[in-house]
Amino acid sequence: MRKWRHYLKMYGQIQLQNMKSLAEYRADFLMMLFFTGFSQICNLGVLGIIYSNIPAVGGWTLWEILLLYSFLLFSEGCINFFFQGTWKIAEMINLADLDRFLVRPLPIGLQLLTARIDFDGLNKMGIAAAVFALGVSHCDIRWSLWKIVCLGVFLVECCVIRVCMIWIASCASFWMESGRNSLNFFAVSIGEMAKYPLVIYPPILQGVFAYVIPYAFVSYYPVGYLLGKSGMDGGVMAMPVVCGVMVWGAVTVMRRGIGRYESSGN
């Protein structure tokens, strides 16, 4: 237990230093906040245009779709702010920056996760909270203490699942020779399809989103459960299992990748 408290303390200290380094470039910070907010407004505008002509898709209204969108955006913001280092794995492997992590008395995974921080993650999480509140205000959700607890647990679980997705995709760089890894961008891009209910996709894509790239557990099942839609209990009950499998996969891929890492000049 003492070891994990030490790791948590080190995580906070490293991220604090990352924040200080970003604070030196205030113009970049303000521009990043502006363009992040603008892009999310454009995304919401597209949803509004679609649903102004189509009242519902797969039995889901615009306000219910906004809840899906808020879960997806919140998990994305969590990655950007807390675990943005997952995006730098390919670069660090290619430039042999990983060498300095190997000689430090801290777990390599912890150092990789804290290799970078982006303040636009806070912006995204704030926008996600506002979108969620807007959607909830127009949806008939019967709130109870149990559902409030479930909401908190769901947000943690969806963030864990999505971080592990990007982590596994980024760790594929250990098996690649290029300095760029398109798999992590693919994992994020395909997540755009999770903005819409799973039922509108053909069965083969439903299987992909449930068992291969489990975006259904990031937004569809938790939001559907909160809304009281049928057929969601099984997906919600499976979320802890999916989290465990994803964490196991991330740890395994990382260990095997480190085992074949050859540094530069090889």
Side-chain angles (χ1 to χ4, degrees):
M1 193 66 181
R2 181 180 300 176
K3 178 178 67 173
W4 290 106
R5 286 200 298 266
H6 172 67
Y7 290 160
L8 183 61
K9 179 181 179 180
M10 292 305 301
Y11 171 87
Q13 291 180 347
I14 295 173
Q15 293 290 47
L16 180 61
Q17 297 305 314
N18 288 332
M19 293 180 191
K20 290 180 179 179
S21 64
L22 284 180
E24 296 179 1
Y25 305 95
R26 296 183 180 179
D28 291 346
F29 170 70
L30 294 175
M31 290 179 62
M32 178 174 57
L33 290 182
F34 171 78
F35 286 112
T36 300
F38 181 74
S39 65
Q40 300 309 321
I41 291 174
C42 290
N43 288 333
L44 292 173
V46 170
L47 289 177
I49 292 173
I50 293 175
Y51 278 84
S52 64
N53 297 281
I54 305 174
V57 174
W60 290 62
T61 66
L62 170 62
W63 308 111
E64 294 171 341
I65 295 291
L66 288 181
L67 299 185
L68 294 176
Y69 183 83
S70 66
F71 265 65
L72 195 68
L73 185 61
F74 183 86
S75 61
E76 183 177 335
C78 178
I79 294 174
N80 288 359
F81 186 73
F82 295 105
F83 309 109
Q84 184 67 0
T86 54
W87 288 95
K88 294 192 66 177
I89 293 177
E91 176 185 343
M92 288 186 287
I93 292 174
N94 185 256
L95 299 177
D97 284 346
L98 199 61
D99 293 358
R100 56 192 174 93
F101 291 166
L102 295 174
V103 298
R104 290 177 177 174
L106 283 176
I108 297 176
L110 174 62
Q111 296 181 70
L112 287 174
L113 288 173
T114 56
R116 182 179 175 183
I117 189 172
D118 278 346
F119 276 112
D120 71 323
L122 286 178
N123 194 22
K124 289 180 179 178
M125 286 189 284
I127 294 174
V131 172
F132 182 81
L134 178 63
V136 166
S137 66
H138 290 81
C139 294
D140 184 19
I141 300 179
R142 298 180 180 179
W143 289 106
S144 63
L145 179 59
W146 170 251
K147 280 199 172 182
I148 293 174
V149 172
C150 285
L151 173 61
V153 173
F154 290 161
L155 288 175
V156 173
E157 289 177 332
C158 75
C159 290
V160 169
I161 292 172
R162 200 154 190 221
V163 168
C164 289
M165 284 186 201
I166 305 301
W167 182 267
I168 293 172
S170 296
C171 284
S173 300
F174 285 106
W175 286 267
M176 299 177 180
E177 296 181 357
S178 173
R180 296 181 61 85
N181 181 355
S182 59
L183 287 180
N184 44 22
F185 291 100
F186 170 76
V188 171
S189 298
I190 201 171
E192 295 295 309
M193 301 178 72
K195 293 178 181 177
Y196 305 97
L198 189 66
V199 292
I200 71 171
Y201 298 112
I204 187 171
L205 284 182
Q206 292 184 25
V208 169
F209 289 141
Y211 303 109
V212 181
I213 308 175
Y215 268 109
F217 298 94
V218 175
S219 57
Y220 178 70
Y221 287 125
V223 171
Y225 180 82
L226 293 176
L227 291 170
K229 294 185 177 292
S230 61
M232 299 297 167
D233 291 348
V236 167
M237 292 176 64
M239 284 183 68
V241 177
V242 174
C243 284
V245 171
M246 294 299 295
V247 170
W248 173 84
V251 173
T252 300
V253 171
M254 180 67 190
R255 287 178 176 174
R256 294 188 177 182
I258 291 295
R260 74 183 312 277
Y261 177 65
E262 297 178 341
S263 187
S264 60
N266 295 290

